[in-house]
Amino acid sequence: METKPTSLGRYVVAILFWAYVLIPLAWGVSQTLRKALLLLH
Amino acid sequence: MSGFFSKERITAGPNYNRWLIPPAALSVHLCIGQAYAFSVFNEPLTRVIGIQEALPEDWKLTTIGWIFSLAIVFLGLSAAFAGKWLEKVGPRMTMFTAACCFGGGLLISAIGVELHQIWLIYLGYGVVGGCGLGLGYVSPVSTLIKWFPDRRGMATGMAIMGFGGGAMIGSPLSVALMNFFSSDTSTGVAQTFAVMGALYFISMVIGSLAIRIPAENWKPAGWVPSEKPKKMVTQHHVHIDEALKTPQFYLLWVILCFNVTAGIGILGQASVMIQEMFKGGISPEAAAGFVGLLSLFNMAGRFIWSSASDYIGRQNTYFVFFALGALFYSLLPSLGQQGNVVLFIAASAVIMSMYGGGFATIPAYLADIFGTKFVGGIHGRLLTAWATAGILGPVLVNYIREYQIEQGMAKADAYNFTLYIMACLLVVGFICNLLMREVHPKHHLKPDTAGNGQ
C-alpha cells in the first residue's frame, strides 16, 4: 500500500484537513436532506 | 514569487501521503460548486432598490439570468484556453489564480450591487468569476489522476462530488447570510457577496497551498501496473493539440454533451414537471423535496459511479449510463400517466446519479484514452461540451414544450415528447461510446519529448 504517515502529527494533520472539508459538506448535505424529506409530506 | 508557485516547489517527496491531495482538491471544488446555487440570489437581486418589493427601476429576472449564463460560458472558455498554461505552470499557480478570480469576482459583484451597476456583476461573477470556475474545476482533477493511477475514477469522483456538494453548502449559506445582513435599507446581497468572496478566497488558497504533484515516474508504494496492457487504457501520452486531431476526442465530446444535456433537461424542470405530471398529488413543498433528492443523487452518483468505473471500465460505465438512461427516460411518461409517483421519483433519481456520474468519470476516461500527462488541458477543452449542453438542454425542453402547449397540448403531456428526445440523445451517446477505440499510435508523444510538459 502507499506510504503511511510516520508520526502522530502527520496523522493529525491529515484528519484535520479531511474534517475541514467534510464538516461543511456534511452540513450542506443535511440541509438538502431536510428539504428532500418534504417529499414525504 | 513565481518560485513559490512553481511545479518544482510543489513536487512531493517520496514519503508524501497522497491522501492529503483529495481534501486540497475539495477545498476548491466545494467553493466553486456555489455557482449551481446562484439562483438563490435571483429574487433578492430583483428588489435591490425597492428592498421590500421590486420597483420599475429594479433589474428584471431576465437581466439577472445572464449572470449565471455568462459564468458557465466563461467556465468553458477559460478551461478550454488555459489548458496549456495549466500544464505548464502546475496546479498551485492555477488554483491560486482561480481563488483570485472567484473571490475577486464576488467582490466586484458586491460593488456592482451596491452601485446598482449590472455590468459590474456581469464582469465580476460572470467573466472574472467564470474564469475562476474553469481554472478551479480542471486543475485539481488532473492532479488527482496523477496521484491515483490505480484508482483514477475514485479520485476524480471525490473532487467532482465536491462541485455537487458546493451547491448544497452555498445555497443555505447564502440564505443565512442574506437573512443576517438584510435590513430596511438593504437586501443584504452585496454584503453576502463580499463575505462569501472572502471566505471562498481563503478556502481556495488553502487548497492551492496544500496541493502537491508527484515526482516524475512516481507510483504508489506496492502498486505494480499490470504487465498485460488493459484494453482501452493507454500507457502512452497524447499532446493537447494532437488530441484534437483524433476522432476519440470528438466522440467523448458528444458523449459528455448528450449525457449532460439529458440530465439538465430533467434537473432544470424537476419542480414544475413533477407538479404538472401528478396534478394535485404533489405540493410545491414536496416538489422542492424532489429537487433536493435529485441534488443528493447527483452528488452521490459522482463518487459512486466514477469509483465503480475503476472496476467495470470507463466504456462499460458509459454503456450503463446510456442504456439505463434511455430506458428510464422512455419510461417516465408512462409512469406519469399511470400516476406511479414512487417509481417516477426512483427513475429520476437514478437518471440524476448517472448525470453526476458522467461528469465525474469523464476525466478518468480521458486519462485512459490520452494518457495522464496532458489530461488537464484536454479535459479543459472537453468542457466546452458542458457549456454547449448548458444551452442545448434548457432550449430543447423549454422551446419544444412551449411549442406543444401553443398547439393545444395539455401541460402534463407536453413533457413526454421532450423526454423521448432525451432518450434519443442517450441512444446517440451509446453509439458514440460503442465507436470508441484506442488512439492510433501516430498520435502518441515521442519518448524524447515525453518529459516536456509544454
Side-chain angles (χ1 to χ4, degrees):
Chain A
M1 292 302 289
E2 63 270 15
T3 310
K4 295 283 189 297
T6 51
S7 69
L8 183 65
R10 292 182 67 193
Y11 274 116
V12 171
V13 167
I15 290 167
L16 284 177
F17 199 19
W18 272 100
Y20 160 72
V21 291
L22 289 183
I23 289 171
L25 180 62
W27 176 74
V29 169
S30 72
Q31 298 292 312
T32 313
L33 204 55
R34 256 177 44 184
K35 206 169 93 175
L37 288 176
L38 289 169
L39 250 182
L40 300 176
H41 286 239
Chain B
M1 196 66 175
S2 63
F4 179 72
F5 290 104
S6 68
K7 278 167 111 173
E8 293 70 31
R9 186 72 175 257
I10 57 167
T11 302
N15 293 327
Y16 194 79
N17 178 12
R18 65 174 174 166
W19 287 96
L20 287 170
I21 305 301
L26 279 166
S27 302
V28 172
H29 271 243
L30 285 173
C31 294
I32 57 175
Q34 182 272 341
Y36 270 155
F38 189 82
S39 59
V40 297
F41 293 112
N42 286 353
E43 193 277 327
L45 281 171
T46 61
R47 48 183 175 83
V48 171
I49 294 175
I51 310 296
Q52 301 303 330
E53 58 184 42
L55 295 178
E57 56 268 43
D58 264 312
W59 295 318
K60 300 281 175 288
L61 213 51
T62 44
T63 311
I64 293 162
W66 279 103
I67 303 169
F68 178 75
S69 303
L70 269 173
I72 294 298
V73 167
F74 276 85
L75 180 158
L77 290 176
S78 61
F81 287 107
K84 275 189 186 174
W85 178 70
L86 183 159
E87 298 295 349
K88 186 180 168 189
V89 299
R92 178 179 279 178
M93 177 63 120
T94 323
M95 287 159 75
F96 182 77
T97 310
C100 294
C101 288
F102 194 60
L106 277 161
L107 288 177
I108 295 169
S109 302
I111 298 167
V113 175
E114 201 59 37
L115 301 177
H116 204 254
Q117 295 291 326
I118 192 70
W119 69 270
L120 268 177
I121 309 181
Y122 288 161
L123 174 73
Y125 197 91
V127 179
V128 181
C131 291
L133 290 175
L135 297 176
Y137 188 91
V138 175
S139 186
V141 171
S142 61
T143 308
L144 276 167
I145 287 176
K146 287 163 190 162
W147 275 108
F148 290 86
D150 47 341
R151 277 174 273 185
R152 286 172 185 170
M154 182 209 69
T156 58
M158 272 191 282
I160 293 175
M161 176 190 74
F163 197 81
M168 294 184 190
I169 299 170
S171 176
L173 179 65
S174 308
V175 172
L177 286 170
M178 280 191 287
N179 287 339
F180 180 77
F181 288 118
S182 65
S183 65
D184 292 339
T185 54
S186 168
T187 54
V189 177
Q191 297 90 326
T192 301
F193 276 166
V195 170
M196 288 180 88
L199 285 176
Y200 284 146
F201 174 76
I202 293 167
S203 177
M204 290 170 77
V205 168
I206 290 172
S208 76
L209 295 178
I211 202 79
R212 295 286 184 279
I213 52 173
E216 195 76 26
N217 299 323
W218 173 89
K219 286 184 182 63
W223 179 66
V224 184
S226 170
E227 285 192 9
K228 194 177 140 199
K230 275 191 189 171
K231 202 179 159 216
M232 299 287 281
V233 181
T234 185
Q235 302 298 316
H236 301 275
H237 303 286
V238 179
H239 191 270
I240 305 169
D241 295 332
E242 199 62 29
L244 292 182
K245 296 174 188 166
T246 65
Q248 284 83 354
F249 178 86
Y250 298 98
L251 288 171
L252 284 169
W253 195 95
V254 176
I255 285 170
L256 180 66
C257 184
F258 285 3
N259 190 54
V260 176
T261 302
I264 288 176
I266 201 169
L267 191 61
Q269 303 290 319
S271 173
V272 186
M273 186 170 75
I274 195 167
Q275 288 180 73
E276 288 182 354
M277 286 182 95
F278 299 95
K279 204 85 186 162
I282 297 284
S283 66
E285 291 77 23
F290 177 58
V291 176
L293 188 80
L294 294 186
S295 308
L296 285 171
F297 271 83
N298 174 10
M299 190 190 83
R302 291 169 188 243
F303 182 70
I304 294 168
W305 283 112
S306 58
S307 300
S309 75
D310 287 334
Y311 298 96
I312 62 173
R314 289 352 135 184
Q315 196 174 24
N316 290 337
T317 307
Y318 277 90
F319 277 140
V320 174
F321 291 165
F322 291 127
L324 217 55
L327 175 72
F328 283 179
Y329 264 110
S330 314
L331 283 176
L332 283 181
S334 41
L335 291 173
Q337 280 157 6
Q338 290 164 14
N340 199 332
V341 186
V342 175
L343 276 183
F344 182 89
I345 292 170
S348 305
V350 175
I351 287 172
M352 281 322 296
S353 79
M354 296 190 294
Y355 163 75
F359 268 121
T361 313
I362 206 80
Y365 206 167
L366 285 172
D368 286 357
I369 298 294
F370 298 110
T372 56
K373 192 165 267 304
F374 302 100
V375 70
I378 299 170
H379 185 211
R381 293 195 178 178
L382 199 80
L383 288 186
T384 49
W386 180 6
T388 308
I391 299 165
L392 196 61
V395 164
L396 274 178
V397 172
N398 294 336
Y399 285 91
I400 292 173
R401 184 169 170 274
E402 287 302 315
Y403 175 76
Q404 287 185 304
I405 291 171
E406 276 172 21
Q407 299 298 309
M409 188 178 274
K411 278 186 174 179
D413 298 329
Y415 285 106
N416 297 356
F417 186 60
T418 49
L419 289 172
Y420 289 133
I421 289 181
M422 297 300 165
C424 291
L425 289 183
L426 292 176
V427 171
V428 176
F430 186 93
I431 295 166
C432 290
N433 193 40
L434 197 67
L435 295 173
M436 279 297 290
R437 297 284 181 275
E438 289 178 10
V439 169
H440 192 281
K442 72 177 180 185
H443 297 293
H444 293 161
L445 207 64
K446 305 278 181 296
D448 56 327
T449 53
N452 182 4
Q454 304 294 310

